[in-house]
Amino acid sequence: MEFNKITSELLSAIKAIVGESNVLTQHDDLEKYSHDETEDLTYYPEVAVKPKSPEEVSALMKLCDENLIPVTARGAGTGLSGGALPIKGGLLIAMERFNHILNIDEENLQATVEPGVITGEFIDAVAEKGLLYPVDPASKGSCFIGGNVSHGSGGPRVVKYGTIREYILNLEVVLPDGDIIWTGANTLKYASGYNLTQLMIGSEGTLGIITKIVVKLIPKPDKDALMMASFSTNESACAAVSAIFRAGIVPSALEFMERRGVEWVVQFDNINFDLKEGIEAFLLIEVDGTNQDVIFSDCEKINEVLEQHDCKEVLFADSSAQKEELWRLRRTMSVSVKSHSVYKEEDTVVPRAALPQLIKGIKEAGAKYGFESVCYGHAGDGNLHVNIIKGNMSDEDWNNKLKDGIREIFELTVSLGGTLSGEHGIGLVQKEFMPIKFSNVHFELWRGIKKVFDKNGILNPGKIF
């Protein structure tokens, strides 16, 4: 697809829609919008705009569709797959002014929010009313809820409460031709034709631009317990994961961390944590509810399972401060790894019982291709984030040979019944590996769907496939 450049006439029209102060054209102003948290990739848009209403987004989309201008929507820029990178230039629509919680409906346990609301602030706002929105990515303090929806983002607590797909009831979306639609209804059940709401979740801004989100809420548990279990091998820690569920316990979070990752967090974030010799892996396990006796009983059962899987020690957090410190170990791991070395992050997910085979294969691939890796993630979901560390790899091997190693990791993931991404999306950097999992039939179906929504292909071109 050949796209057009933004002419002076089109720039004047854009300024008329959103106001001149909300249009950015200078290189220094555009730098913020040229990258996200994906490695070191940089792509500048021609123009960035900051609309504030669905009607402004609609006018922008209609103008760009009629003039074949590529459009990329952007949230907070915390993505890890390159989904918000304007690789074709064109117009970047920054959603940062869509930052209002419009309504919290306590009677129906729902809320309506704009996509630029910071996820953590929304979680805190509903918590003040005794409610829970459990989708809490590690970047919840800065990521936007609209980006979470677009990428199918998760977090530690979806292991008990379900993925983001179970909490999005309805979406207001601007289509590429400027039409504004609601995708569904503000109801818990929906059996009225194709479910466009679910189609939009995880579509990575390729089908439409989300301008309002109706979210399901649940009552907030008021009690919890947190355990940190240590193991002498990665495999024994991973094997304990599925055993906990087989024992009849569903933790509210179950996170895996390798020793190297913990070491780097302790160093980077100055956390006081006793790293004992011979310990190579950790499970961070949270149990929540409304009855403290039930929570303690569940923790005792979990402890019995851990003992059967070569667990060396279990630390029970005895205060809110210690709980926060342990969670900080996990939530700052990505930032700590990134600060330590050049790296690439892959987002694998398998059935949880296959985790020991997955992590064993990841380490074997590293030995074969000459890279190190630090793994951590949502073990309760079978979701491991694989941080591949450049270390002593030559630039030539890093730029060429490494892809073969990543391909082998994804081939292993698929052979174990998994898929390429659990929550980071495909975006730009994973799309070349999609044929490992999906057939030509899948690609033709996706291209057909894309064509129906976006006949001129202007919206986030070059992503997913």
Side-chain angles (χ1 to χ4, degrees):
M1 170 70 70
E2 288 294 325
F3 296 110
N4 295 322
K5 297 291 186 180
I6 297 176
T7 63
S8 58
E9 291 81 7
L10 287 175
L11 183 58
S12 296
I14 291 168
K15 290 178 178 178
I17 293 169
V18 298
E20 188 165 354
S21 63
N22 295 305
V23 178
L24 305 175
T25 59
Q26 297 301 309
H27 189 272
D28 288 350
D29 294 331
L30 295 174
E31 192 277 334
K32 170 185 174 181
Y33 303 102
S34 69
H35 59 86
D36 57 10
E37 294 300 319
T38 309
E39 303 164 19
D40 56 355
L41 302 175
T42 301
Y43 296 89
Y44 278 77
E46 294 174 65
V47 177
V49 296
K50 297 187 284 186
K52 67 175 182 179
S53 70
E55 291 73 23
E56 288 183 357
V57 175
S58 172
L60 291 168
M61 289 304 304
K62 186 174 182 181
L63 181 70
C64 290
D65 195 47
E66 291 173 349
N67 291 277
L68 292 182
I69 304 297
V71 178
T72 305
R74 178 186 172 94
T78 59
L80 293 166
S81 65
L85 299 179
I87 63 173
K88 301 294 184 180
L91 184 71
L92 183 139
I93 298 181
M95 302 301 288
E96 57 206 59
R97 296 174 71 201
F98 284 80
N99 59 357
H100 300 97
I101 299 173
L102 301 174
N103 177 47
I104 298 176
D105 181 350
E106 297 178 69
E107 290 188 0
N108 288 304
L109 299 185
Q110 297 178 5
T112 303
V113 300
E114 292 183 322
V117 170
I118 293 174
T119 304
E121 292 181 1
F122 176 61
I123 291 171
D124 292 343
V126 301
E128 290 178 3
K129 299 181 180 296
L131 301 173
L132 176 66
Y133 174 67
V135 184
D136 59 342
S139 59
K140 66 177 182 177
S142 55
C143 65
F144 290 173
I145 191 169
N148 298 164
V149 174
S150 294
H151 284 83
S153 301
R157 293 184 175 88
V158 303
V159 64
K160 176 178 180 179
Y161 293 106
T163 71
I164 196 168
R165 292 186 175 277
E166 297 175 49
Y167 291 89
I168 306 303
L169 299 175
N170 202 358
L171 298 168
E172 182 186 69
V173 175
V174 180
L175 300 177
D177 64 1
D179 283 345
I180 303 174
I181 65 167
W182 282 94
T183 57
N186 300 0
T187 55
L188 297 177
K189 288 184 175 181
Y190 187 86
S192 306
Y194 297 138
N195 195 322
L196 299 180
T197 305
Q198 291 296 314
L199 181 60
M200 285 291 167
I201 299 169
S203 64
E204 301 186 31
T206 62
L207 302 180
I209 297 180
I210 297 167
T211 49
K212 288 188 183 69
I213 304 164
V214 180
V215 175
K216 181 180 79 172
L217 304 171
I218 57 178
K220 187 179 187 302
D222 58 358
K223 298 177 177 63
D224 62 65
L226 189 64
M227 316 159 64
M228 177 77 99
S230 54
F231 299 81
S232 57
T233 67
N234 291 328
E235 288 86 348
S236 58
C238 287
V241 173
S242 63
I244 290 170
F245 290 88
R246 294 198 304 272
I249 309 299
V250 180
S252 51
L254 207 173
E255 299 289 297
F256 170 85
M257 296 178 285
E258 266 195 89
R259 180 187 182 94
R260 175 70 65 84
V262 174
E263 288 175 343
W264 286 352
V265 172
V266 169
Q267 177 185 343
F268 174 81
D269 217 23
N270 196 29
I271 293 177
N272 183 24
F273 183 75
D274 184 15
L275 266 169
K276 296 181 178 177
E277 290 295 324
I279 300 302
E280 294 299 323
F282 300 88
L283 292 180
L284 184 64
I285 309 165
E286 180 189 83
V287 180
D288 71 4
T290 57
N291 186 311
Q292 197 70 59
D293 291 338
V294 173
I295 291 173
F296 284 150
S297 175
D298 285 348
C299 288
E300 288 175 359
K301 292 177 184 176
I302 290 172
N303 197 52
E304 291 173 6
V305 173
L306 296 174
E307 288 177 353
Q308 296 165 11
H309 286 80
D310 197 32
C311 176
K312 301 303 181 185
E313 184 180 32
V314 178
L315 169 67
F316 282 85
D318 57 11
S319 66
S320 296
Q322 191 174 28
K323 289 176 184 177
E324 181 59 34
E325 194 85 336
L326 291 177
W327 269 117
R328 194 152 62 97
L329 272 176
R330 169 62 187 90
R331 290 193 180 277
T332 59
M333 192 157 289
S334 177
V335 178
S336 302
V337 171
K338 186 174 183 178
S339 71
H340 188 88
S341 173
V342 175
Y343 83 117
K344 292 180 182 291
E345 182 167 356
E346 311 301 337
D347 179 39
T348 60
V349 59
V350 295
R352 64 172 74 97
L355 280 172
Q357 296 162 270
L358 175 62
I359 198 159
K360 181 174 184 289
I362 290 168
K363 297 306 177 182
E364 289 173 349
K368 178 179 178 181
Y369 290 96
F371 62 81
E372 298 178 53
S373 63
V374 175
C375 298
Y376 55 87
H378 315 306
D381 300 324
N383 184 194
L384 272 190
H385 303 319
V386 184
N387 282 245
I388 297 172
I389 309 303
K390 185 172 186 290
N392 296 322
M393 279 189 87
S394 67
D395 289 344
E396 182 179 353
D397 284 352
W398 181 256
N399 293 324
N400 299 301
K401 190 177 176 182
L402 179 61
K403 282 190 177 182
D404 295 331
I406 294 173
R407 181 172 294 277
E408 283 199 14
I409 290 173
F410 283 137
E411 286 172 348
L412 171 64
T413 300
V414 171
S415 75
L416 294 172
T419 190
L420 275 64
S421 179
E423 59 181 15
H424 290 171
I426 299 301
L428 176 64
V429 297
Q430 312 290 9
K431 67 177 184 176
E432 67 180 287
F433 303 110
M434 288 285 273
I436 295 172
K437 170 67 176 174
F438 300 103
S439 69
N440 287 334
V441 174
H442 291 97
F443 285 102
E444 288 306 308
L445 287 168
W446 289 331
R447 290 189 181 102
I449 292 168
K450 169 74 169 171
K451 189 73 174 176
V452 169
F453 279 80
D454 184 11
K455 65 180 184 299
N456 290 320
I458 66 164
L459 196 49
N460 209 10
K463 307 296 172 58
I464 303 181
F465 57 87

